[in-house]
């Protein structure tokens, strides 16, 4: 069954705990978008903010940072259950080894413009493939339709890996993504701009 991971980047940062507690009962994970202003042109959250939500729901940390190796200790200690790093970042193979040493799930993320086979040299070591369906950096961008085929391709090739999709996910594309084999759907604006976030999450789960 598909899990929904609300992206907390789409929530009100002044009221993050309340937003997390609201969505947690129907969410598999809280998705935490960490940006360094270098890998992407935006700054978001550090490990202290991630830690402040520990225990509300499992934490899925998406590192959009140039040097992930330097920060894995911090996010592991903050309570991450999944840490994903980008194939386009520095030393992805070493970063995955460090994550696995923490006995948590390791994910490899890739941008929509990155060829699918770019992850071949690390894929055996990861638990999860994070298919970006927008260019990373901001909430509220339009979904790249080509992501559906990328999900299908990965699920066929790697049926034992979790496939997570992130960016522009909503009730208008969740069905196609689930049919293509997605295991985790990340959604920021679709959930937090909704009048009824719980109903939106449940609609996405049903496809
Ligand atoms: C984009 C982030 C996403 C984003 C999702 O760089 O990785 O997790 O917050 O937000 P929506 O669902 O609004 O595209
Ligand atoms: Zn993300």
């Amino acid at each position: 069954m598909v899990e929904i991971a609300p992206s907390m980047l789409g929530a009100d940062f002044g009221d993050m705990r309340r937003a997390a507690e609201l969505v947690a009962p129907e969410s598999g994970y809280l998705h935490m978008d960490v940006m360094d202003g270098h890998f992407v042109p935006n700054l978001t959250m550090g490990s202290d903010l991630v830690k402040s939500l520990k225990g509300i729901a499992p934490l899925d940390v998406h590192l959009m940072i140039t040097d992930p190796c330097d920060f894995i200790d911090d996010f592991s200690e903050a309570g991450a259950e999944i840490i994903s790093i980008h194939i386009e970042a520095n030393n992805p193979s070493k970063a995955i080894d460090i994550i696995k040493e923490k006995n948590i799930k390791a994910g490899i993320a890739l941008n929509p413009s990155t060829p699918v086979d770019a992850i071949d040299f690390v894929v055996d070591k990861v638990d999860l493939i994070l298919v970006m369906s927008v260019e990373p950096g901001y909430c509220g961008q339009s979904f790249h339709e080509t992501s559906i085929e990328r999900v299908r391709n990965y699920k066929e090739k790697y049926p034992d890996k979790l496939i997570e999709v992130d960016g522009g996910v909503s009730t208008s594309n969740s069905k196609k993504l689930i049919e293509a084999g997605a295991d985790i759907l990340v959604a920021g604006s679709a959930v937090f701009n909704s009048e009824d976030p719980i109903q939106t999450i449940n609609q996405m789960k049903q496809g």
Side-chain angles (χ1 to χ4, degrees):
M1 159 114 161
V2 73
E3 301 274 19
I4 308 299
S7 167
M8 301 313 293
L9 188 58
D12 176 352
F13 271 43
D15 209 3
M16 187 75 92
R17 170 166 281 273
R18 191 200 58 81
E21 287 173 346
L22 173 70
V23 296
E26 295 299 328
S27 301
Y29 298 92
L30 301 176
H31 182 85
M32 307 300 287
D33 285 307
V34 177
M35 305 185 188
D36 65 354
H38 186 263
F39 184 77
V40 289
N42 192 10
L43 273 174
T44 56
M45 56 185 82
S47 58
D48 287 341
L49 181 57
V50 171
K51 191 176 182 178
S52 75
L53 301 184
K54 185 178 175 184
I56 299 176
L59 299 173
D60 167 32
V61 174
H62 177 193
L63 296 181
M64 285 157 277
I65 64 179
T66 300
D67 286 302
C69 294
D70 297 345
F71 293 94
I72 289 162
D73 279 359
D74 291 350
F75 287 101
S76 163
E77 279 164 28
E81 298 201 8
I82 303 173
I83 298 181
S84 296
I85 56 103
H86 269 259
I87 196 71
E88 302 88 355
N90 290 338
N91 300 317
S93 182
K94 184 173 168 209
I96 290 161
D97 292 342
I98 300 172
I99 298 167
K100 293 306 295 178
E101 280 166 19
K102 308 287 180 191
N103 289 318
I104 57 176
K105 287 193 174 76
I108 188 70
L110 79 168
N111 293 344
S113 51
T114 299
V116 284
D117 60 5
I119 65 168
D120 284 0
F121 73 107
V122 296
V123 76
D124 287 347
K125 300 198 285 188
V126 302
D127 304 284
L128 177 150
I129 301 170
L130 200 179
V131 176
M132 290 299 301
S133 38
V134 300
E135 290 298 332
Y138 301 93
C139 264
Q141 304 181 74
S142 318
F143 181 77
H144 287 220
E145 290 291 333
T146 50
S147 311
I148 295 166
E149 274 319 298
R150 286 160 79 88
V151 169
R152 197 186 316 280
N153 176 306
Y154 280 138
K155 199 63 191 182
E156 278 172 15
K157 205 166 169 191
Y158 307 114
D160 298 336
K161 308 281 179 199
L162 291 168
I163 310 294
E164 180 172 18
V165 190
D166 184 10
V169 175
S170 71
T171 51
S172 64
N173 50 37
S174 51
K175 188 172 199 285
K176 285 185 202 162
L177 288 167
I178 294 167
E179 284 170 358
D183 299 290
I184 304 173
L185 300 180
V186 176
S189 43
V191 168
F192 290 108
N193 292 348
S194 166
E195 299 260 303
D196 187 342
I198 290 290
Q199 189 187 26
T200 300
I201 291 170
N202 286 329
Q203 275 175 9
M204 282 195 278
K205 277 189 210 168
Q206 284 153 18

